Amino acid sequence: MRLLVLGTGVMAKNQLTHFSKIDGVTVVGAVDTDPDRLSAFADKFGIEKRFLSLDEAIAWGEFDAATNITPDRIHHPTTLALIAAGKHVLCEKPLAENYPKALEMTEAAEKAGIINMVNLTYRNVAPLQRAREMVLAGELGTIKHVEASYLQSWLVSRAWGDWRTESTWLWRLSTGHGSNGVLGDVGIHILDFAAYGAATDIDHVFARLKTFNKAPGGQIGEYMLDANDSFTMSVDFANGALGVIHASRWATGHLNELKLRIYGEKGSLEVIHRPGGSELRGCLGEDAETATWREIEVTPVPTNYQRFAEAVASRIQPDPNFRHAANLQKVLDLAMVTERERRELKV
């Protein structure tokens, strides 16, 4: 697979460390509107072809697939251009800023017959994959209740940088710069974590969003700090289970933690993922009588990058695809409506 990298920021460096280890993958070109950033990135990874626009790269055309790592609002036009050129696409999350744009991208990809995949990176968490297998195998019985959280602390900690001075973080706090807040940024991750792990879809949603004051006048330089910092969400799942999902950037003591608890009539599971690793615990069978939890061993799973490369080679569409991400975006869009209208909505 000849791969084009579209966007050369922090996440691009992360992706290239993975793609560079996959047999049969060659990174043949990189695109960025910032020439200095493009040069530094291409030099670091030994990429010969460098383009300041996607149009230039498409006109060159010597690539099979692209990984789209541009800012959220750029996903829609650039992905449509790649699809029109017949290129397979791995797109960073969220697929688009809203459901109509995500649906347009989905339908275009399906009509073109290209491999389309969204980089929901926590699908790479082996305990999540194992939890889903156990749910589908009926080891928990009927699922009754689901809890999921995504907790970050970068508004109270400088572990990842200083949001007060760095544009990398400031834009995520400003709707005027394309951010839909923590809901738009990590909401899709935790919705996927919950629904995928519990092996079901979200059917109804009601959400509350909160933006806390972070600076005098709610502004730093050109950035109005008006995007939501925390959300809580109650959901009904298609399998009849009730769910509670929440996320915050004010979670002191949690650099980047995802947690999922799945409660069934025969047992329960807990998945925890942190920067240092992940784990799966279960309370199953006779242990339910004594509320005894035991760690469950899991085996490694292929990464999204490996599965994308394999899909391009085999032409077999993998998951999570564009349609899945578009459906999650619909939930996020409706969550914002429920906040304004204070009422539950059916997905």
Side-chain angles (χ1 to χ4, degrees), residues 48-118:
E48 180 180 356
K49 290 291 184 178
R50 308 167 187 198
F51 305 94
L52 293 174
S53 75
L54 178 58
D55 288 343
E56 293 176 19
I58 290 175
W60 171 62
E62 299 298 316
F63 61 99
D64 307 302
T67 179
N68 191 341
I69 323 172
T70 57
D72 297 356
R73 62 171 56 176
I74 309 300
H75 290 176
H76 175 260
T78 51
T79 297
L80 287 178
L82 288 164
I83 293 170
K87 307 301 183 181
H88 308 291
V89 183
L90 170 66
C91 187
E92 269 301 322
K93 62 80 199 169
L95 182 58
E97 294 174 274
N98 55 53
Y99 176 65
K101 288 184 177 181
L103 183 61
E104 181 183 2
M105 295 160 71
T106 298
E107 292 177 342
E110 291 175 351
K111 183 177 180 180
I114 57 103
I115 296 298
N116 59 93
M117 189 171 172
V118 177

Side-chain angles (χ1 to χ4, degrees), residues 190-339:
I190 195 59
L191 290 182
D192 183 64
F193 207 73
Y196 184 77
T200 185
D201 294 320
I202 294 172
D203 195 52
H204 286 78
V205 59
F206 177 74
R208 294 296 305 274
L209 313 178
K210 183 75 171 183
T211 304
F212 297 93
N213 184 44
K214 294 175 285 295
Q219 184 172 358
I220 295 179
E222 64 180 280
Y223 298 91
M224 291 296 300
L225 310 182
D226 58 348
N228 60 84
D229 304 320
S230 297
F231 76 78
T232 60
M233 185 184 296
S234 61
V235 301
D236 288 345
F237 289 99
N239 65 0
L242 188 65
V244 180
I245 301 171
H246 67 100
S248 180
R249 291 167 171 161
W250 290 100
T252 304
H254 298 275
L255 290 180
N256 193 70
E257 178 190 276
L258 290 85
K259 182 180 289 186
L260 172 64
R261 289 173 173 162
I262 308 169
Y263 301 103
E265 60 184 352
K266 292 165 57 178
S268 300
L269 293 173
E270 178 183 71
V271 180
I272 302 177
H273 177 73
R274 301 185 180 97
S278 54
E279 62 183 274
L280 174 63
R281 298 195 311 144
C283 179
L284 304 163
E286 294 182 358
D287 283 340
E289 298 295 334
T290 57
T292 301
W293 289 78
R294 303 181 191 275
E295 187 170 348
I296 300 171
E297 292 191 8
V298 298
T299 56
V301 297
T303 65
N304 287 344
Y305 315 108
Q306 291 171 308
R307 293 192 296 111
F308 179 67
E310 291 168 1
V312 171
S314 67
R315 296 300 191 269
I316 299 174
Q317 177 62 52
D319 185 60
N321 58 20
F322 280 15
R323 185 161 293 279
H324 174 75
N327 290 338
L328 290 178
Q329 189 61 48
K330 184 179 182 182
V331 177
L332 295 174
D333 287 3
L334 290 175
M336 299 184 77
V337 176
T338 68
E339 157 69 14

Side-chain angles (χ1 to χ4, degrees), residues 31-35 37-38 51-53:
V31 183
D32 202 302
T33 56
D34 185 322
R37 185 169 58 205
L38 174 62
F51 305 94
L52 293 174
S53 75

